[in-house]
Amino acid sequence: MGAKRINKSRRRFLKKSVVAGGTILATSGLKPFSVLIFAAKEPEDTLNPWYGIGIDIEKCIGCGMCAKSCKLENDVPQEPFYFRSWVEQYTIKNDGTIKVESPNGGIDGFSQSVPDNEIFKTFFVPKMCNQCAKSPCTQVCPVGATYESPEGIALVDEEYCIGCRYCIQACPYGCRYLHPEKKTVDKCTLCYHRITKGLKPACMETCPTGARIYGDLNDKDGELSLFLKKHNCQILKPHLNTGSKLYYNELSAEVR
Amino acid sequence: MEHLYEMLSRVDGYIYPNEIELHWGILIVLYPYITGLVAGAFILASLERVFKVKVLKPTYQLALLTALAFLIVAILPLVSHLGKPFRAYEIMTTPQSHSAMAIFGFVYLWYLMVVLLLEIWFDYRRDLVLWSEEKKGFWRRVYKILTLGVFDVSPKTVAWDEKLGYIVTVIGIPSAFLLHGYVGFIFGSVKANPWWSTVLMPVIFLFSAMVSGIALVMFLYMVVSWIRKVEIDMPCLDEVGKYLFYVLVFDFTLEALDQVHRIYEAEESFEILHMLVNGKLNITLFVLQGLLGTIIPLLTLGFFRIYKPKEKIRKTAYFIISLLILMGIFFMRWNVVIGGQLFSKSFLGFTSFKLGLIGGEGFLMAIFWMLLPFCILAFLLWLLPPWKKQEVS
């Protein structure tokens, strides 16, 4: 009797071990598939910078200097179809309808076409690459020409891009365009060539009101972290789960 | 650049500044269309080979060669559309595992090299040997090369050809499903675009591929018979019509389900999609794809299941229906690819699309890519005529 019981319990133990072992093996085997889900990685090394951007909508006056300086700094074509950064003017009318405008990306400034008595509220929203942590653009690039820098900035290798434009389709924020001469995709790099030298991105350098800040999200005492602490910030299209690192304070629900 | 300034004046509402230009034009409409024709033609061929629907025999080799001719061309519009076409090989040499488009390259190659070419080779090997003995000079050498040096036509070897061909076809069925399901996935997985982003997209693409492929073979079988001045095998044509009807029912149901689901959920994007469907896509969706390309063929083919009119009427009807379906599925691809780019991701406005006549992405270029597979097929039918194949005794 006793020997039988031992045998039974041994069999049970073996069964359980096999099941547990199998589960561990299957889980470890499945782990590589996570690469299929998200192209980008989380900041592994918290000692290195992990950049994000903050935009203080209350401070933006819609002067368009950010969009203008971006084009000049980064050789973005001057035609009104190509932007790494632009400004939108939102006007919510008393009847609830929304009017959005961005003539030439806001470079030439704005004029209000809605009569004052019809306006419920109006504000400016600067737009640029959201530098997503789970960037859909990086995910879809078939050759890896769009990649993420160690600092969490999505970049395009123009020597490698094949110009398929899948990344343009995948970006929910309309932040990419095909360069008309180079025939490769271009986008905001957060002025990578400047920030790696300790300079500010061009749009932030020229913003007269300091409405734009960028910084290291790992630095909890940094300017961006303080901005995030002080304000109730939101990102664009949060339901898409792109891991956007472009934070707006006082973002109105009408903004998309 | 002038055309962009012109488009700028035709923008309705608010769109993001980078969205004025449509990035995927008619060449990207052709890419899923042609790929779909391949998958559909192959699936029709496998009905005879694997599921032993013997009545379809007259269309078997024709379907296979059609699939090959269109598969050779399928990738060319895609490559010619690239900003840097000479870098296209990078998709194969340095692919990104997390990109749907990168994996498509391998799915395509697998389908071309492992499935289609192998199946056709096993199917024709014996005939290639016999034809190489009949011909003289250059063509004798060509047929000899095509045999790949296997000249054994003993019954035992031919039986092996048959067995191996069968195995390849069995592998080919899921491969054909994969091929076009994957094309659907390329669109369906773009979460930024609510017109594309649906899990049903790969399935819808697959069924519409089957519909278009079967319609193409039906059309070609009638045309080839007419050119060769031979009688059309009516039981075969009726059988093709029967399968076309069944698949069309599935396709219609799935697409309707997708739209009903959208309407019922009425998410954030609903209003802009509603405007898109009732505005810019009005004619291409409701008239060309829906009424002419789906409803009329569906009703006619359904009617033929109940009542069979005279042969002559049926032939004419099948001919018109196959053309209508081919047009309908083309506009289905059009509505997906072009339609998905007409509205802004801000959901607040529309851009427009104007198809140019000339240029790398113009109408004439599209016609060229569409005619090329028919020319390749004509050559293949001349090189490997199914009607000259001899029955194995």
Side-chain angles (χ1 to χ4, degrees), chain B residues 263-277:
Chain B
I263 295 165
Y264 198 78
E265 277 198 331
E267 286 181 333
E268 182 190 16
S269 58
F270 177 70
E271 280 173 26
I272 194 87
L273 296 183
H274 184 66
M275 283 160 75
L276 173 81
V277 164

Side-chain angles (χ1 to χ4, degrees), chain A residues 152-166:
Chain A
I153 297 169
L155 301 170
V156 183
D157 184 344
E158 61 179 51
E159 297 294 314
Y160 213 54
C161 172
I162 60 172
C164 70
R165 291 162 257 187
Y166 200 17

Side-chain angles (χ1 to χ4, degrees), chain A:
Chain A
M1 269 311 261
K4 265 189 178 175
R5 202 180 304 134
I6 288 166
N7 268 347
K8 265 192 173 176
S9 65
R10 194 180 290 162
R11 209 173 294 149
R12 218 175 294 138
F13 170 75
L14 280 172
K15 268 187 186 171
K16 278 183 181 170
S17 309
V18 167
V19 170
T23 314
I24 292 165
L25 259 178
T27 321
S28 60
L30 281 173
K31 211 183 167 193
F33 286 100
S34 62
V35 82
L36 293 173
I37 303 168
F38 293 125
K41 55 195 180 299
E42 289 293 316
E44 285 161 12
D45 185 359
T46 49
L47 295 173
N48 279 335
W50 183 249
Y51 288 122
I53 306 132
I55 292 181
D56 192 337
I57 289 183
E58 288 190 326
K59 284 187 182 171
C60 180
I61 54 170
C63 66
M65 280 306 289
C66 48
K68 192 172 196 169
S69 58
C70 172
K71 282 215 179 195
L72 291 172
E73 175 69 27
N74 297 298
D75 290 328
V76 177
Q78 288 300 316
E79 284 77 14
F81 320 109
Y82 312 101
F83 291 91
R84 283 187 178 193
S85 177
W86 69 94
V87 186
E88 295 169 351
Q89 181 186 37
Y90 277 74
T91 306
I92 319 295
K93 295 186 200 170
N94 286 327
D95 63 4
T97 54
I98 310 163
K99 185 174 185 190
V100 190
E101 285 179 297
S102 183
N104 197 14
I107 286 178
D108 312 317
F110 293 89
S111 59
Q112 182 55 270
S113 53
V114 181
D116 283 356
N117 61 341
E118 286 180 27
I119 298 174
F120 180 68
K121 62 173 175 177
T122 181
F123 51 89
F124 299 103
V125 183
K127 293 268 183 85
M128 61 193 291
C129 172
N130 289 222
Q131 306 296 353
C132 308
K134 294 175 258 183
S135 52
C137 57
T138 312
Q139 184 183 36
V140 300
C141 177
V143 295
T146 277
Y147 63 101
E148 201 176 291
S149 82
E151 302 91 350
I153 297 169
L155 301 170
V156 183
D157 184 344
E158 61 179 51
E159 297 294 314
Y160 213 54
C161 172
I162 60 172
C164 70
R165 291 162 257 187
Y166 200 17
C167 58
I168 299 179
Q169 306 290 5
C171 173
Y173 312 103
C175 294
R176 292 174 161 252
Y177 68 90
L178 188 86
H179 196 287
E181 278 96 45
K182 294 176 187 166
K183 301 286 179 199
T184 53
V185 170
D186 191 44
K187 70 175 282 292
C188 163
T189 59
L190 201 61
C191 282
Y192 195 65
H193 59 291
R194 288 174 61 90
I195 60 171
T196 45
K197 288 177 194 149
L199 299 167
K200 278 183 176 181
C203 60
M204 299 184 191
E205 187 78 56
T206 55
C207 178
T209 60
R212 294 168 163 244
I213 47 170
Y214 89 103
D216 178 7
L217 288 162
N218 285 334
D219 178 5
K220 296 302 169 202
D221 298 320
E223 201 183 353
L224 182 61
S225 296
L226 292 177
F227 175 76
L228 294 175
K229 268 182 204 171
K230 204 172 156 191
H231 298 99
N232 188 9
C233 289
Q234 286 182 48
I235 55 166
L236 296 169
K237 305 188 182 188
H239 62 285
L240 290 180
N241 192 28
T242 58
S244 165
K245 300 202 293 290
L246 175 64
Y247 303 95
Y248 293 92
N249 75 324
E250 300 299 324
L251 190 70
S252 202
E254 291 87 357
V255 182
R256 283 169 181 154

Side-chain angles (χ1 to χ4, degrees), chain B residues 304-338:
Chain B
F304 286 178
R305 304 299 323 136
I306 307 162
Y307 172 75
K308 277 201 165 47
K310 280 180 192 162
E311 260 191 38
K312 205 179 167 189
I313 298 171
R314 291 212 309 276
K315 263 187 220 168
T316 319
Y318 284 138
F319 187 77
I320 296 168
I321 283 168
S322 62
L323 282 174
L324 282 179
I325 287 178
L326 285 170
M327 180 210 65
I329 299 292
F330 173 82
F331 279 103
M332 182 262 172
R333 312 297 188 215
W334 175 281
N335 292 329
V336 170
V337 178
I338 304 294

